Amino acid sequence: MKNYVIGLDYGSDSVRAVLIDTENGQELASDVCHYKRWKNNEYCNPSINQFRQHPLDHIEGLELTIKSVVAQANVNPAEIKSICIDTTGSSPIPVTAEGTPLSLTKEFEHNPNAMMILWKDHTAINEANEINELAVSWGGEDFTKYEGGIYSSEWFWAKILHIIREDEAVKKAAHSWMEHCDYMTFLLIDDKDLATFKRSRCAAGHKAMWHEDWNGLPPEEFLTKLDPYLAQLRGKLYNETYTSDLVAGKLNQEWATRLGLTTDTIIAVGTFDAHSGAVGAKIDEHALVRVMGTSTCDIIVASHEAVGSKTVKGICGQVDGSVIPGYIGLEAGQSAFGDVLAWFKDTLSWPLNNLVYTSDVLSAEQKAQLKEEVESNFIKTLTEQAEAIPLSESIPTALDWVNGRRTPDANQGLKSAMTNLSLGTKAPHIFKALINSICFGSKKIVDRFEEEGVRIDSVIGIGGVARKSPFIMQTLANVLNKPIKVCASDQAPALGAAIYAAVAAGIYPNVIEAAKKMGSDFESEYFPQADKIEKYQELMDSYSELSQFVESITK
């Protein structure tokens, strides 16, 4: 018999499934499902940084994609040994005592506060500030120290604190809260006991201040000072956490029937997309894996000996076993990467959407053809013209903080800015400035790791931006002054999830051995261009000056 596994990867806009042959990592089938409610901007209010998703988008996507890859591959269901799920995070969901999301009940089916609070939701900035102030003033342990020393509004406790203060009905109805990766895993398994369910080490360690040093989550004494509700909630959460090479349970009968699989199928402990992406890219010590999409996550693994008792300041956490069991996983990232360019495209598209595509001069067919042509050429043409602008020409300086700053030193209250505009500044100049900005933001992260003693010898890029934009990747290589290899897989996070699944099923003894056999190859490599490094350093200095100024005037 052959052994196959499924990796299920939840991104911000869609979910994708891959069915993988564990012998060699060959992808037999893949499928993608976009979230229809999210696509319609339901439950979101970008003006206040509110981004919520309905669990039905994720449940429907799970069923559609897994059924599709099983049908495409046409393999014996008994040979599909395991499934592992990765998701964005921190994206908590309020649930009942049975583990049902409140938004799947009649009373809360359209209440945004009962939805999944997506990672990019920044409505909890004030609550994050409270946590940070308390952590250094309450007289006890600083529970943020393994999370970079600054707790973010993107994370678990801040989001819950915001919701329960804003919505009394959700507060009363929520028995507990679950991270997205935990809920989707819980949905599939046969043992429906929330008290014994195996929660993700990635989610708990990087986002919920869980650490072995204080025997799990922050104690009730600390949480009470934030809100008595959080202290009561702690007892309904978890004490232990588990790495994603372990078994969470077996597929329950309902979902085995719905997916066309068997109840012998193992479900691995859930994980985060960036961490599984790093595994899919065959991460090793001293290699920085950059997962580049709407935002970025930057992942490094280091031995216990290399890290010792040191805590790295201003990152998104360092957690034992969060990426590869037996190693410390360190995470950083940018709140916006591709989103910076998407914002600019949306801004430039305003005349098209409000004047051209609504014009009575054009027929419906002409509008459709024009829209298709514009969509296929928009970024391509901007890129070509931006790339042609010499570095000697006056280029604006921009900040990449359109969605705040994740690292180094989380501050989601920061806003983007631009300087050095003139009458000669055209759209391609601004586009080039924005590309520079996301690369400069990346350099700040690399500099912080190296300043804190974390060695980086190489960089690996994964995700759509890495594979589709040679201009961005070459600019990044020049700014970082490091070579960058690009992962060949279209679905590195899903592939990484499949690798975890193979270990959980006992097909490989550990994640490192599984990744050697199943991990992605590399399709290209970018090297720093010696004649451009000095000029990019000058532009980087301008970025640093602007960032210091903007931060100094931000209240």
Side-chain angles (χ1 to χ4, degrees), residues 24-25 279-282 487 489 495 499 514-521:
N24 52 21
V279 169
K282 295 188 285 195
C487 190
S489 174
L495 176 59
I499 290 171
K516 287 178 182 177
K517 290 282 190 178
M518 297 173 61
S520 174
D521 292 326

Side-chain angles (χ1 to χ4, degrees), residues 141-159:
E141 183 75 73
D142 180 356
F143 298 109
T144 71
K145 71 179 185 180
Y146 289 110
E147 310 210 37
I150 302 175
Y151 202 76
S152 171
S153 64
E154 292 184 347
W155 298 347
F156 188 77
W157 293 109
K159 288 179 172 177

Side-chain angles (χ1 to χ4, degrees), residues 362-372:
L362 301 174
S363 67
E365 183 180 358
Q366 287 173 319
K367 291 175 188 175
Q369 291 174 342
L370 179 60
K371 189 169 186 178
E372 182 179 355

Side-chain angles (χ1 to χ4, degrees), residues 283-352:
I283 191 172
D284 201 354
E285 283 193 83
H286 313 305
L288 174 69
V289 175
R290 306 209 76 228
V291 185
M292 291 181 274
T294 55
S295 65
T296 75
C297 278
D298 298 62
I299 305 295
I300 298 177
V301 295
S303 66
H304 290 267
E305 293 75 19
V307 175
S309 59
K310 184 177 183 59
T311 54
V312 180
K313 297 176 183 176
I315 64 169
C316 301
Q318 54 191 80
V319 180
D320 185 5
S322 66
V323 182
I324 296 178
Y327 288 81
I328 304 296
L330 301 102
E331 177 186 337
Q334 292 165 272
S335 292
F337 195 80
D339 265 357
V340 174
L341 309 181
W343 162 81
F344 188 54
K345 177 177 180 279
D346 288 345
T347 301
L348 293 184
S349 297
W350 188 93
L352 294 170

